[in-house]
Amino acid sequence: MSRKFLPLCLFGFLMVFANENSFAQKKSDTQDDNELKTTPKLVVGIVVDQMRYDYLARFWNHYGDDGFKRMVNEGFNCKNNHFNYAPTSTGPGHASVYTGATPATHGIIGNDWYDKESGQSVYCASDSTYTSVGTVSDAGKMSPHRMNVTTITDELRLHTQMRGKTIAIAVKDRGAVIPGGHTANAAYWFHGEDEGKWVTSSFYMTTLPKWVSDFNASNKVEQYKKPWRPLKDINTYLESGLDNNTYEGLFVGETMTTFPHDLPNLWDENGKYDLLKATPYGNSLTTDFALEALEEEQLGADEITDFLAISFSSTDYVGHKFGVNSKEVQDVYLRLDEDLARLFKALDKKVGKEEYTVFLTADHGAVEVPSYLRDQKIPAGYFDWAAMVTRFNEFLNYKFGTTDLIRNSSNYQLFLDHKIIQNLDMDVAEVQQTIAKELLTYDNIDRVYTGHQMWQNEYTEGIPNILQNGYNLKRSGDILLVLRPGIITYATTGSTHGSPQVYDTHSPLLFYGKGIKKGSTVERTEIPDIAPTLAALLGISFPNGTTGKPIPQVLE
């Protein structure tokens, strides 16, 4: 080989090597870019109102393959998922799911709470500065203005320069307004009574879109004005208690708690279209409307990620009415399973099976009916609030000479009148402590904490930590009460929620779809972890009040 040819060969080799190395580098860069984010065409957030985690296992053998089982078998199941704050109710639950924070930060401390500035009770989603759209009633006077921070839906809108759509849907107004965040294109909720329509607020728009008006004008709501019968043979509902028992509530006009529930005959005495909310048909109607929104709003139709937030509210109404051990609760979940299958089938067809990401969780759990537990010789019961107030007022008069110290009691909190305390030349912290010590002597009150303790201490575990996460310095009260496990303030029929006890905090958390691993974990996860997990998946900013952390096991 000539000496002239050797340098040419060497030059050629170096050029090939450089090109290959450059290609490899570009490929590596591309891989790194892909690892920065996952880009589903659509994210679907599902919140099931009042869903305990054990409903997954309890009714498992009755579920079909395409609803809950699809999410568990093909997605990721967080088995030890909890709310890390109290009170555990719908407004705070939805806010915590979507903000990645707790009430201490996002400010939604209850469905309703006492506003210390105005001296009035306020509702978490109410806003009199806006008007109803789609109804002449006040049902649409809503907005998310009481929520202090952004949501994951807000951050997605900001990230996409407002090109990605957010649509939020629920039977309950707060189940739509709060998940939609401050920037939603639309939030819709169901107004019952004698109208039976999907409505919204002028916060979002001035008139309903044609497709919503058309849906309201159709007979799709009317088709559910029919008897509620079990989906399957009721004799196979062995996972629930007897159909006829004393632990369940009655619709007005009923004399027995048993199936079927004759909705047409019960209609007028039970709020007309409001009656649908307390049956599985409310969830089916929600699914119908969500599928219409999917089609008409062209969600997931392009490469810019959209968000569809759906809350299934009827499970909560049914649980409150009949209790967690009822055959009605079992039936509402079997029917919800079919609605989920219907939703996933539509998403497969419209968006593409590998092109969307879903999470499913709850806004709180629920307690077993205490009267039922008591009959099983399990410690449980009911707190007599009226009797407590009588004894407590006697104490206030004896100790302070007045009962006017108490401005309000709500959400298991007492609000003191600080002006009266100052006029009496007393120290607020000392008054709080004195009252707390008194209340701790009452039957069925398990723990009492003061606002001063919430201010001065940093609790890292247990019920004090849960209370502190729910304690907002500007909005919460002076005295916090915790009842014994199994003790509630409620009717002797049906279930409720709101406490820091484990039956109210343990809820499902399932992820499924694009960017999600298959598997499960029994490591503790918490509700505020959902939003940052989605943000990490999408490669977008965390909501600006985030206190939760991404769940690494979930993400591919």
Side-chain angles (χ1 to χ4, degrees), residues 258-294:
T258 55
F259 278 111
H261 300 284
D262 192 349
L263 303 194
N265 286 334
L266 299 170
W267 196 256
D268 290 340
E269 291 186 279
N270 291 273
K272 299 181 179 179
Y273 288 101
D274 278 338
L275 180 58
L276 296 179
K277 298 177 182 180
T279 76
Y281 303 144
N283 289 336
S284 296
L285 180 60
T286 301
T287 307
D288 294 341
F289 191 73
L291 295 180
E292 197 77 7
L294 179 68

Side-chain angles (χ1 to χ4, degrees), residues 83-87 92 96 101-109 454 458-473 476 480 524 526 528 547:
F83 289 86
N84 62 339
Y85 66 86
S96 298
T102 65
T105 299
H106 60 61
I108 305 298
I109 63 171
M454 295 292 111
E458 184 175 352
Y459 300 106
T460 58
E461 60 184 4
I463 285 180
N465 172 252
I466 291 174
L467 294 177
Q468 192 166 53
N469 286 335
Y471 189 86
N472 186 276
L473 293 176
S476 296
L480 292 77
R524 183 181 173 94
E526 296 177 338
T547 55

